[in-house]
Amino acid sequence: MNTPVRPEHSGLPTTVWLASRSPRRLELLQTLGLDVKVFLAQNSPEAEALEAPLENEDPLLYVQRVTQLKLDTAIQAMRSQQLSGLVLAADTTVALHGAILGKPQNATEALQMLQRLSNTTHEVHTAVAGTWLNMNGSTNATKNTVQTSHVEFAILPDHFIQAYIACGEPFDKAGAYGIQGIAGQYVRHISGSHSGIMGLPLFETSELMRHIQTVAQAAKRID
């Protein structure tokens, strides 16, 4: 008889709040056996505005700044609803030669991005931020991490790019592609974290959650 691996077997919390509308991040956390509660402090247009890069902003600094903004926004809204527990926020960006490739707004942008990524290697930065929110509104053990992977694409044929854009998959993804989707067939090599490229690096995120829970529990015992 198989014994299920529960979160407590690996020192993880049983429940976590996810301040993200990404279905991929939700699915990745659920693979760990966590009870994931999605908390959205903003509607889609507001969330998109939060992700706007500053002029000439470094991609690595950008993804960390936006992730912290997402966490802070969620915490503020959760306080007003008297919610508590471990809260996570994350953001992913694709960078090529120091330039940020965000989510394409239309087919022309998607085409340009995919043509730039064809037959080259780019970086995928995923930042994660988390904290423990107490019932009194205070926070413990806020921690941040960022994971960088390198993705090498083979040549993306023009007819594939056109069909890929027509299917609609590129439009909610940084860099206009998802490695777990149809475009994955042209990924020649990755160096880093496959789950990080998808939107949430499981190793780094698990380490972050274990740290937050340990510190929060220690603080509770002292109180």
Side-chain angles (χ1 to χ4, degrees):
M1 179 178 177
N2 292 328
T3 301
V5 179
R6 297 188 298 273
E8 57 266 32
H9 291 146
S10 49
L12 295 172
T14 56
T15 302
V16 62
W17 291 96
L18 176 62
S20 172
R21 62 187 69 249
S22 167
R24 294 167 294 280
R25 294 190 181 113
L26 173 61
E27 291 168 3
L28 285 166
L29 285 174
Q30 288 174 333
T31 65
L32 302 177
L34 302 175
D35 176 14
V36 185
K37 300 179 180 180
V38 176
F39 182 86
L40 302 178
Q42 300 172 309
N43 58 36
S44 294
E46 290 173 335
E48 293 294 332
L50 195 70
E51 296 177 4
L54 305 176
E55 186 176 359
N56 299 320
E57 189 169 16
D58 177 81
L60 191 58
L61 297 178
Y62 160 78
V63 76
Q64 295 176 89
R65 177 182 64 82
V66 170
T67 299
Q68 189 61 51
L69 278 174
K70 288 181 176 181
L71 181 64
D72 293 343
T73 301
I75 291 299
Q76 184 176 0
M78 292 177 71
R79 282 179 176 138
S80 66
Q81 298 184 34
Q82 296 185 314
L83 301 175
S84 63
L86 198 157
V87 189
L88 288 180
D91 191 67
T92 300
T93 195
V94 170
L96 181 64
H97 307 314
I100 297 170
L101 300 186
K103 299 174 183 176
Q105 299 302 305
N106 51 54
T108 300
E109 286 189 8
L111 175 65
Q112 292 171 344
M113 288 184 190
L114 292 167
Q115 288 177 335
R116 291 176 66 185
L117 294 176
S118 178
N119 199 34
T120 189
T121 299
H122 61 274
E123 297 174 332
V124 179
H125 305 296
T126 296
V128 184
T131 194
W132 191 278
L133 177 62
N134 299 304
M135 282 297 296
N136 63 6
S138 65
T139 57
N140 293 105
T142 300
K143 187 172 177 60
N144 305 271
T145 188
V146 63
Q147 193 281 327
T148 297
S149 297
H150 294 82
V151 181
E152 180 186 355
F153 266 122
I155 295 174
L156 298 173
D158 288 340
H159 56 273
F160 169 80
I161 291 177
Q162 295 291 347
Y164 187 52
I165 293 171
C167 84
E169 188 172 291
F171 294 107
D172 68 337
K173 297 173 178 63
Y177 80 94
I179 195 169
Q180 74 282 3
I182 306 167
Q185 64 186 296
Y186 287 105
V187 173
R188 181 184 289 128
H189 179 75
I190 71 168
S191 175
S193 166
H194 188 272
S195 60
I197 299 166
M198 288 177 62
L200 196 72
L202 286 181
F203 173 76
E204 289 81 0
T205 303
S206 297
E207 290 287 281
L208 179 145
M209 288 191 291
R210 279 189 279 264
H211 170 81
I212 291 174
Q213 177 169 258
T214 299
V215 174
Q217 289 176 340
K220 188 175 182 180
R221 286 195 295 270
I222 293 173
D223 292 343

